[in-house]
Amino acid sequence: MGRKKVEMKKIENNSSRLVTFSKRRSGLFKKANEICTLCGAKIAIIVFSPGGKPYSFGHPSIEQVLHKYQNDFTPKKSKSHKVRTAKLRQELANLDDLLEYENKVEFTKNQSISQLDLDQLVKLQEQMQDLSRNATRHVQEIEASQALLMLANSSFE
């Protein structure tokens, strides 16, 4: 019996799907091994079965290939990025100082912080923590978008 072309769609029969997965997985790993042997390539493959069980192939090892990938493709921070990040951190600190000052002024206008009851103090603390988290999140979003822009720019160079 010769080979026949298989239509590319999900195999509905569960046992047939598992058999096909097993055969194709071993074929994939065999081809990966051939590429390593013939070309000296470093390869890492991780495949999850339909049941969720992981299978892997790595040459020289999965850990070494992933470590090399992470080191080679982690975007390096440029000097301008570091300067921008430092400026943003300083701006955040300035905003925190300004907020603290405005809160002191507001309490002075209305009442002293020492006159607040426990519920009001807890509410004020929560508001300050929310503001701090929001400011930190905003800085992280800006840093992430800058990193993506730098990565995109470096890939076009």
Side-chain angles (χ1 to χ4, degrees):
M1 183 171 156
R3 292 184 182 182
K4 59 182 178 179
K5 185 170 177 137
V6 176
E7 184 180 353
M8 284 291 126
K9 69 174 189 171
K10 184 175 180 179
I11 299 171
E12 297 303 323
N13 184 318
N14 193 37
S15 62
S16 296
R17 186 170 49 246
L18 292 173
V19 169
T20 301
F21 172 81
S22 180
K23 288 181 180 179
R24 296 229 174 190
R25 182 193 74 228
S26 62
L28 176 66
F29 290 172
K30 183 178 177 184
K31 287 291 184 186
N33 188 41
E34 288 175 10
I35 290 174
C36 295
T37 303
L38 296 173
C39 305
K42 294 180 176 147
I43 295 178
I45 299 174
I46 302 172
V47 180
F48 290 88
S49 72
K53 184 176 178 183
Y55 295 89
S56 62
F57 172 86
H59 182 79
S61 74
I62 293 275
E63 293 82 12
Q64 288 179 355
V65 175
L66 291 177
H67 181 72
K68 178 166 178 47
Y69 177 81
Q70 288 173 335
N71 287 341
D72 287 354
F73 295 105
T74 300
K76 307 294 187 264
K77 291 184 177 181
S78 68
K79 186 176 180 181
S80 63
H81 176 73
K82 290 177 184 176
V83 169
R84 176 74 176 138
T85 301
K87 285 181 183 177
L88 288 171
R89 290 190 190 281
Q90 183 59 46
E91 191 176 327
L92 176 61
N94 292 343
L95 288 171
D96 283 340
D97 291 343
L98 179 62
L99 178 65
E100 185 178 335
Y101 173 76
E102 288 179 0
N103 283 332
K104 286 180 184 177
V105 169
E106 187 64 33
F107 285 122
T108 305
K109 286 181 185 176
N110 296 332
Q111 60 186 2
S112 170
I113 195 167
S114 61
Q115 294 174 335
L116 294 176
D117 65 19
L118 181 60
D119 289 337
Q120 291 170 322
L121 286 171
V122 169
K123 185 177 179 181
L124 176 63
Q125 181 184 21
E126 290 171 356
Q127 290 172 341
M128 296 295 286
Q129 288 172 342
D130 286 344
L131 181 62
S132 177
R133 278 192 295 271
N134 288 340
T136 302
R137 181 180 44 80
H138 185 65
V139 168
Q140 290 171 341
E141 288 172 355
I142 290 171
E143 288 176 343
S145 64
Q146 285 182 333
L148 288 173
L149 284 173
M150 288 178 52
L151 184 61
N153 288 340
S154 67
S155 66
F156 289 116
E157 293 175 354

